[in-house]
Amino acid sequence: MRIARCSIAILMLTLLGLAQASAQTVTTRKIIDNGPDGEKLVFAVVGDGYSAADQAKYAADVDRLVVNGVMARDFYRDNRRAFNVYRVDLTSTDSGISKPGAPKNTALKTIYSGLWQRCWIEPSVPDTEKLLNAALANVPKYDYVLIIQNEAGFGGCRRGSRLYVTGGVGWDVVAHEYGHGVGGLFDEYSVAGNPLYVGQPVNTRNCSTHLNRNQVVWTRMINQSFVIPPATQLGAGIDPNQTVGMFQGCATYMAGIYRPVHECRMRSNAPLFCPVCLELMNAAVAPYLGPEPAGPAAGSVTGRLNLSHALFMNASFATGYGQTQTPSPQSTSYLQVVVRVKKGGNATPIKVTEVQGVLPAQDQQASNSVMEAKTGDQTLGVQFLQDDPFTVRGFADPNNVERGEHFQETDEATIVIRVPQTNLSTATTGPGVSLKLYEVKPEPSLHLDPNTISNIEQLRSQRVLEENTRVSPGKLKDVVNKRVDVRSIQ
């Protein structure tokens, strides 16, 4: 399924300046351009700790990690026309990054602790969020934000839809993280602290507790010679990255849950995506590819030679890997809303963009977080988020790989959501549009039937969904009517 070529009506929040004593220079450049932003998944890349003398280094770091890194390799290279990339150039007063006890005056005020248990990179609260909101105001529409620190040490931390990395990480680590963001993929590695999975049954995407070749979600991809059970073992004739079976260990657990192959990018960063993960990633970006280019010159790319979108279930749902039912659209536009959510409280929209085109949909659940969009009493759509927005994910320590990635809880995060069958007029007239974020209960359920998810009232009464936070119609109207200063949003 492909989105029809279309234009995009964009709400531009006025950039009033950064909320610091010293003014900062902000320049926005579109460095990979494969068509209108409304038809693509859009990355915004921002730097911190790059002084005026460091701007050439910043451009080189973006080129190394993004343009000639992630977007020039395997899956991302093969599907690069699904992506646009903006580079936001910020000039910091000081060169380098603040460290505990050694502050510096930088554009985003981020801190590099260098500690796995502190997620390597930390924002200054509330300065970093305010500064980042202001810096992104001139990016018309974005799906993912990558923040690069001018720091040679290793580290990276994902907070909601925003991924913080140092200049010292490799492109393959970033590619792994966007396996979560673009395809909603689970980690496939195991850690000693999680010996046995004993939670709710899981059978979705690239992890399953169903040790049965006829029941596992990737059944049609399993090597025909394998007898399952037992679990598949690495041996002669098995390609660690390409031979699909059911290998013990997934989602950080060592046993009781299974992954498709022995080695995959979602288990360690260096290998390619395995056949199962690759098909899920391909399905995720397929609606954004557009028509096949006429030749190698198609599309405009500066330099050399690309995301959490589990989408709404009311329009269509995937019937299997690579197969999607196409809806009869009731509307040819939708809203993309960047929201700052606070656990157990209200949420604040930061940016609202009207996108012309048909919103694609998928049925695969990747988290226990569900967003409902309503106008009055009418539910417009229900969206699974790619990740729990209140879970902060830090990179695995290369010097202690047994610990795996570091997870911690937070009370607030920034997420990107899509509201189907609506436009800016709907959001500003009549009852407007409200958003509610729910948590699926009981934990750690990782699967919910897409045919029942739209029955919100029943699920609420059964306490399958527990409301977490909401956005009132008035708050969306304030953003659309430009009564919100992005510098004030924490």
Side-chain angles (χ1 to χ4, degrees), residues 83 164 202 242 247 276-277 284 306 308 340 347 349 373 383 461 464-465 480:
F83 300 96
Y164 295 78
V202 175
Q242 294 296 308
F247 291 79
V276 171
C277 291
N306 97 101
S308 149
R340 186 68 177 171
Q383 173 189 8
S461 67
V464 175
L465 294 180
V480 174

Side-chain angles (χ1 to χ4, degrees), residues 423-456:
N423 51 35
L424 291 176
S425 177
T426 304
T428 54
T429 60
V433 175
S434 64
L435 306 172
K436 293 183 180 180
L437 181 66
Y438 298 94
E439 185 175 0
V440 179
K441 297 288 187 176
E443 292 187 60
S445 173
L446 294 176
H447 183 71
L448 200 61
D449 185 346
N451 296 308
T452 66
I453 186 66
S454 61
N455 192 351
I456 292 291

Side-chain angles (χ1 to χ4, degrees), residues 411-425:
D411 290 332
E412 53 188 298
T414 301
I415 60 176
V416 178
I417 61 175
R418 300 166 179 85
V419 183
Q421 305 180 62
T422 192
N423 51 35
L424 291 176
S425 177

Side-chain angles (χ1 to χ4, degrees), residues 299-410:
S300 172
V301 180
T302 301
R304 294 179 54 196
L305 242 222
N306 97 101
L307 271 156
S308 149
H309 86 283
L311 300 178
F312 288 87
M313 256 58 71
N314 68 319
S316 69
F317 62 92
T319 56
Y321 294 151
Q323 301 173 348
T324 304
Q325 294 181 351
T326 304
S328 299
Q330 301 175 26
S331 173
T332 58
S333 67
Y334 63 93
L335 293 182
Q336 178 154 299
V337 186
V338 181
V339 184
R340 186 68 177 171
V341 292
K342 296 187 177 182
K343 184 181 290 187
N346 288 329
T348 304
I350 299 170
K351 192 181 193 70
V352 181
T353 304
E354 181 180 320
V355 179
Q356 300 299 313
V358 178
L359 182 65
Q362 295 178 322
D363 73 330
Q364 295 286 338
Q365 181 185 355
S367 77
N368 292 326
S369 296
V370 175
M371 181 69 78
E372 177 191 21
K374 298 184 71 173
T375 178
D377 295 329
Q378 177 189 357
T379 296
L380 296 169
V382 181
Q383 173 189 8
F384 285 118
L385 303 187
Q386 296 296 80
D387 251 347
D388 176 359
F390 302 113
T391 297
V392 176
R393 179 196 297 270
F395 287 5
D397 186 346
N399 297 318
N400 192 347
V401 295
E402 291 300 320
R403 296 194 294 185
E405 293 178 322
H406 177 68
F407 297 91
Q408 65 188 59
E409 294 300 307
T410 184

Side-chain angles (χ1 to χ4, degrees), residues 80-110:
R80 76 179 183 95
R81 70 181 192 273
F83 300 96
N84 286 341
V85 178
Y86 285 85
R87 193 186 77 207
V88 180
D89 300 345
L90 297 180
T91 302
S92 293
T93 300
D94 293 337
S95 176
I97 292 295
S98 296
K99 297 178 181 177
K104 290 196 174 188
N105 186 5
T106 66
L108 297 178
K109 307 298 181 188
T110 63

Side-chain angles (χ1 to χ4, degrees), residues 226 233-239:
F226 291 162
Q233 300 291 324
L234 185 63
I238 293 181
D239 184 315

